[in-house]
Amino acid sequence: MSRRLLLLGVLLCAVALPAGAQDSGPTLQALQSRYDALAGLRAAFTQVTASEFADDSTRIDGTVLLAGNRYRVETPAQTVVTDGATTWIYSPADSQVVVNTADAEASTLTPQAFLTTAAEKYDRTSARSATRAGTAHEVLSLAAANSSARFEEATLWVRRPDRVVTRLRAVDRNGSILDLRLRDIRIDPPISGDPFSFSPPEDVEVVDLRPTD
């Protein structure tokens, strides 16, 4: 199951600023509106997961294509695709495709899904300016507002020219650290074919977990 916890919690949703927080940098409402307006986003990513209590870490490199609630995430070990209604998880090493109903609360999160489902779960506690990859960014610190939040705390690096998140670092309640970095980001890229649908290869097992009623 842990191999399905691929990606992506790049953004958080619209919440009010807590008392005393600096009113600088983009608000979370503005970020949500920015992503709602995107027709699509394509990027390469590196995700590193580690623990505060252990020295080992796991690194995953891949690509992601997003368009609303549809996405396609490809890594050497796995491909995860959803058209907004159905999700396919293909693991070549297992010769298996798991098919299930798309779930906005699933562990594989896109920016749009996180924006939608994280409402009222986080507070922005501070904002500061920084430079990442030679470009000006606003760095937003966030803290869990209640027990329903997946992460205890998170930090977002928001690229100033286009208000796109290029990095997320988050710590969950078990001390696990997720550090996701996007690069080669293309806003509203041309999309050809049908990348948000998946046809299983003929020689793999298909495990269909969708309800039958």
Side-chain angles (χ1 to χ4, degrees), residues 7-64:
L7 183 62
L8 277 165
V10 182
L11 289 179
L12 302 176
C13 85
V15 294
L17 292 179
Q22 290 184 328
D23 189 14
S24 61
T27 65
L28 296 174
Q29 292 95 326
L31 290 179
Q32 179 179 2
S33 297
R34 169 62 171 142
Y35 273 73
D36 285 345
L38 292 180
L41 182 148
R42 187 191 303 272
F45 70 86
T46 296
Q47 175 182 292
V48 177
T49 53
S51 172
E52 292 182 328
F53 312 107
D55 294 331
D56 62 327
S57 62
T58 301
R59 171 174 171 151
I60 300 174
D61 293 290
T63 60
V64 58

